[in-house]
Amino acid sequence: PINSWGYGKENGPSVWHKDFPVAQGNRQSPIEIIPKQASYDPSLQAILLNYDHCSSINISNNGHSVVVDFDDSDDRSVIQGGPLDNPYRLKQFHFHWGGKGCHGSEHTVAGRSYASELHLVHWNAVKYQTFGEAAAAPDGLTVLAIFLETGDEHRWLHRITDTLYMVKFKGSATDFKSFNPKCLLPSTLQYWTYLGSLTTPPLHESVIWIVLKEPITVSERQLGKFRMLLATGEEEDQRMHMENNYRTPQPLKDREVRSSN
Ligand SMILES: COc1ccc(C[C@@]2(O)NC(=S)NC2=O)c(OC)c1
Ligand SMILES: [Zn+2]
């Protein structure tokens, strides 16, 4: 059935196209970013993040990732500028990560992958009435992607990793208030931007991607806590750890990647 997709041998990215033919479309994500082939666009503005009044609601395990949801009933937390024509509302953020070692990011940079990738998901509430409607529209979503590499401990990530034990099982959720994702940004907001898609089914081609060039650093210990999450529910007897929940790069086809300063 359609809702049985995953990252395993039988239900992983290589067979998603059977239920979701757009998987073989013309603007699929992620992609390999080749900096030398990206075109510097001086007209691209700086990214503006107004997250100061953001209100996180809860953190949950949906079996594919761990997600922090935000109150998006007004324009209290938005991303604007960059390649965007109008502000996009922060809806949620989630992560993709690997098993042991360095793989785990979805986008790669000149063949190099990172240990993990954070996706901050925003939707175009100026043009669309609901997130669901925006998620199916060509300019409906903007995802800010941040690479995570392993090294020193991240001073604020513990607020998330300390909560993961409470959402160990698929389908679990818990309150997660007053978390401002600004604390997860790198020191510069230089970026690449291109038109792409969701990276899991339904794989809608509705994302304006903004991929930050500078990664943030987290410790192996912090990353290890993500791998303790389970892709299976409390009632299931076959436990599966949630790891390697990333799609590999897709054909660029007739797209260009633009670079900010
Ligand atoms: C119906 O709307 C959806 C569905 C799934 C996701 C999650 C994801 O597939 N998309 C990206 S990006 N990473 C992912 O894992 C979504 O996020 C924008 C929006
Ligand atoms: Zn994602």
Side-chain angles (χ1 to χ4, degrees), residues 52-121:
D52 295 344
H53 303 286
C54 74
S55 32
S56 59
I57 300 170
N58 69 2
I59 186 168
S60 60
N61 174 338
N62 63 17
H64 309 300
S65 184
V66 58
V67 187
V68 173
D69 276 300
F70 288 81
D71 172 0
D72 62 347
S73 57
D74 63 23
D75 272 340
R76 70 182 68 189
S77 42
V78 296
I79 184 173
Q80 55 194 348
L84 306 173
D85 293 342
N86 53 256
Y88 283 62
R89 268 184 206 170
L90 178 63
K91 167 77 178 156
Q92 53 108 311
F93 68 77
H94 62 270
F95 297 81
H96 301 266
W97 60 89
K100 294 244 168 298
C102 59
H103 295 278
S105 65
E106 300 210 295
H107 291 87
T108 60
V109 180
R112 170 215 166 136
S113 65
Y114 288 88
S116 173
E117 188 171 326
L118 162 60
H119 288 161
L120 289 146
V121 177

Side-chain angles (χ1 to χ4, degrees), residues 92 94 96 119 121 131 135 141 143 198-200 202 209:
Q92 53 108 311
H94 62 270
H96 301 266
H119 288 161
V121 177
F131 174 80
L141 301 181
V143 178
L198 309 182
T199 63
T200 70
W209 279 95

Side-chain angles (χ1 to χ4, degrees), residues 33 35 45-49 51 79 82-83 105 107-109 114 116-120 122 142-148 181-182 184-194 209-216 257-261:
I33 294 167
Q45 299 160 21
I47 297 291
L48 288 170
L49 297 172
Y51 287 169
I79 184 173
S105 65
H107 291 87
T108 60
V109 180
Y114 288 88
S116 173
E117 188 171 326
L118 162 60
H119 288 161
L120 289 146
H122 311 72
T142 283
V143 178
L144 183 67
I146 301 173
F147 293 120
L148 279 65
K182 246 193 154 128
L184 300 176
L185 296 175
S187 53
T188 66
L189 297 183
Q190 294 172 13
Y191 62 92
W192 295 288
T193 183
Y194 78 98
W209 279 95
I210 298 173
V211 181
L212 295 188
K213 295 184 182 180
E214 184 186 332
I216 60 170
V257 178
R258 290 185 290 162
S259 169
S260 74
N261 53 320

